[in-house]
Amino acid sequence: MLFLAVAAILLAWGLGRLLHGLDVTPPWWLDTPAVVGFYGILWQLYDRRLWRLRVGGQTLSGIPDYNGTWTGWVHSSHDGTRRYAARLTIRQTSSRILVELRTDGSRSVSHMAMLCAAPGSAQGLQYIYANWPIHMPLPAPTAPQPGHPAVLSMHPHQGVSRLLLRADGTLEGDYQTDRHRGTHGTLSFGGKVAP
């Protein structure tokens, strides 16, 4: 933030010198917000692009880059012998993050997320999500739908998940649903399929 503020001041000063050298008097609306305007432009550029530039193997910001679409698997305690194919989409800037997970049977979207880059037990991406099952009418009220593992007794629920970006570029983690659903499981994603 300090670097952006200094850069904005220098750009505003440079603009003022340029206009003075051209013997042009800027209008009042350009002169007053110049520093704030340059800061806003620089912030947008940093927040969307520059933060993820790599310097010495790390991002410029020090924030791990989870952004992209990942494919992998979900293992649930609901059926411990089966794994479900999953697609994870993470939309990330330096200040915001949104996580969406899709399987054949459900879709979940994050409500709140935080990213901790410091090593330790809190390291990784942690988020609270809402999950909606995908249902179609079936004759038996609890029978799974072919191709869709969600059963009609499954209802929308909330949960908590944690993912850790490994050095080899994979994502691994776990999740736990709310007390009404009462399941837990692991998540494993082999790599990004799109940035």
Side-chain angles (χ1 to χ4, degrees):
M1 300 305 145
L2 179 60
F3 174 77
L4 292 179
V6 169
I9 290 168
L10 291 175
L11 285 169
W13 177 80
L15 177 62
R17 297 294 294 161
L18 175 67
L19 293 174
H20 185 333
L22 295 173
D23 201 26
V24 174
T25 303
W28 65 270
W29 51 265
L30 178 63
D31 193 39
T32 305
V35 173
V36 175
F38 278 121
Y39 184 84
I41 292 167
L42 290 172
W43 168 251
Q44 288 297 318
L45 186 60
Y46 174 82
D47 188 46
R48 295 180 186 193
R49 300 272 185 233
L50 297 179
W51 71 272
R52 67 171 49 116
L53 289 178
R54 296 220 166 255
V55 178
Q58 277 213 346
T59 59
L60 181 65
S61 62
I63 300 169
D65 184 4
Y66 285 70
N67 192 58
T69 300
W70 307 71
T71 57
W73 305 96
V74 175
H75 291 87
S76 173
S77 64
H78 171 71
D79 181 1
T81 61
R82 187 169 172 197
R83 66 182 186 170
Y84 302 96
R87 186 176 188 90
L88 180 74
T89 303
I90 301 175
R91 294 176 185 88
Q92 180 184 3
T93 68
S94 72
S95 62
R96 295 180 182 163
I97 193 160
L98 176 71
V99 182
E100 183 178 355
L101 178 79
R102 287 181 179 263
T103 67
D104 284 341
S106 68
R107 173 180 178 249
S108 64
V109 176
S110 63
H111 283 283
M112 189 173 17
M114 68 167 252
L115 222 158
C116 180
S121 61
Q123 183 178 13
L125 169 61
Q126 298 178 45
Y127 62 96
I128 297 171
Y129 64 86
N131 180 280
W132 297 272
I134 298 168
H135 292 303
M136 288 179 66
L138 296 174
T142 59
Q145 177 182 340
H148 295 278
V151 294
L152 289 177
S153 62
M154 187 174 167
H155 53 78
H157 60 275
Q158 301 218 12
V160 179
S161 184
R162 179 175 168 263
L163 292 168
L164 187 61
L165 183 60
R166 304 281 181 198
D168 63 0
T170 61
L171 272 178
E172 292 182 2
D174 51 47
Y175 73 92
Q176 183 172 351
T177 61
D178 61 25
R179 63 190 174 99
H180 301 292
R181 178 85 176 130
T183 58
H184 61 277
T186 59
L187 305 162
S188 177
F189 298 93
K192 290 183 189 183
V193 292

